[in-house]
Amino acid sequence: METLIAEDLLLLLLDDESGRSTFAGSDRGMALAGALLSELALTELVRFRDTPPGWTRILSPGWNTAEVTRVHGAVSDDPLLSRALSAIDDNPRKPSELIVPMGRWTTDALLERLHQKGLIQPVEVKVLGVFPRTRWRAADRTREAEIRERIHAALVLGETPDHRTSALIALLSAIDQAQYCAAGGGLTHTDIQRRAAEIRAGDRVAETVKSLVEMSDDDRIPPP
């Protein structure tokens, strides 16, 4: 079954049994938005360029060292990628300027998509016995098992990941979740975090997500 990097990331962030998210709120939305931006880059619908010397501000490296432009004539048949692509025009944009507003709709859109694919199912619960809430439990764990196997191969066995797995690991590292997606081989969580950080190094999208997650809401660049 074909899935987007963002779908794979969300599957990893949902507990199969309880349906709880291991990483929730607006930060999760931005991580998923980053995954969509990574997908656009890997499918060559957008391109990155370094900010010209002298233009950078004294901020975290991932925050302000690259710009994103839409490849001329780029279109996608995938509705989520098309929606993400519509936010990007021919004028260079900082990744953060795209990720923050995109993060506001990605979670709900991806949950519905995974539900339609039969990978998760809604379960109605009451928080504190009073407040109704929908959680999403695993309905088919085959895809998630495949993802975890690839991550295990990269982080525990030391195999070189493909581009999509590398992008996924980089995003997991950015939100400090990689160590929960791979185990074994005598490695500690710290060992796995270090290996994931090595894969993340140089990934412009993941570094931007990391910077955004570490900032307060007031410090983030507002949508244009």
Side-chain angles (χ1 to χ4, degrees), residues 1-210:
M1 177 183 298
E2 288 191 20
T3 52
L4 299 176
I5 297 170
E7 292 176 282
D8 292 343
L9 179 59
L10 185 51
L11 284 175
L12 293 171
L13 298 180
L14 292 174
D15 182 88
D16 291 345
E17 298 296 336
S18 69
R20 291 176 179 270
S21 175
T22 59
F23 192 79
S26 61
D27 290 345
R28 179 180 63 180
M30 288 190 297
L32 296 172
L36 288 179
L37 187 55
S38 292
E39 191 90 45
L40 291 176
L42 286 175
T43 52
E44 300 182 340
L45 296 175
V46 301
R47 61 169 59 99
F48 287 85
R49 73 175 191 182
D50 290 329
T51 303
W55 288 17
T56 58
R57 291 171 290 176
I58 304 175
L59 291 172
S60 172
W63 178 264
N64 199 46
T65 59
E67 294 175 327
V68 185
T69 57
R70 181 172 179 165
V71 172
H72 181 70
V75 295
S76 175
D77 293 332
D78 185 287
L80 285 188
L81 293 183
S82 180
R83 182 174 179 182
L85 193 60
S86 68
I88 308 171
D89 52 30
D90 294 330
N91 297 315
R93 302 282 296 279
K94 302 297 182 189
S96 54
E97 294 175 323
L98 300 169
I99 289 172
V100 172
M102 282 169 54
R104 295 178 180 141
W105 57 262
T106 48
T107 299
D108 288 343
L110 287 164
L111 286 171
E112 179 58 31
R113 182 168 168 135
L114 290 173
H115 181 215
Q116 291 177 355
K117 290 183 176 182
L119 296 176
I120 59 175
Q121 58 187 351
V123 178
E124 303 302 323
V125 299
K126 288 189 177 180
V127 178
L128 301 177
V130 177
F131 305 104
R133 180 169 298 175
T134 301
R135 291 194 176 135
W136 297 88
R137 294 178 182 167
D140 182 345
R141 304 184 188 186
T142 305
R143 176 58 184 171
E144 184 179 352
E146 293 172 354
I147 303 165
R148 289 183 181 274
E149 185 176 346
R150 295 205 316 266
I151 293 173
H152 177 86
L155 297 182
V156 178
L157 303 181
E159 296 180 9
T160 301
D162 59 33
H163 293 309
R164 295 175 63 81
T165 305
S166 180
L168 180 58
I169 291 173
L171 288 162
L172 287 167
S173 175
I175 59 176
D176 199 27
Q177 294 290 307
Q179 66 271 24
Y180 305 119
C181 299
L187 299 180
T188 65
H189 276 187
T190 301
D191 294 329
I192 293 173
Q193 285 173 309
R194 182 176 61 253
R195 291 190 176 188
E198 291 172 355
I199 292 174
R200 188 189 77 233
D203 186 306
R204 291 160 166 151
V205 174
E207 293 292 358
T208 299
V209 169
K210 180 175 174 59

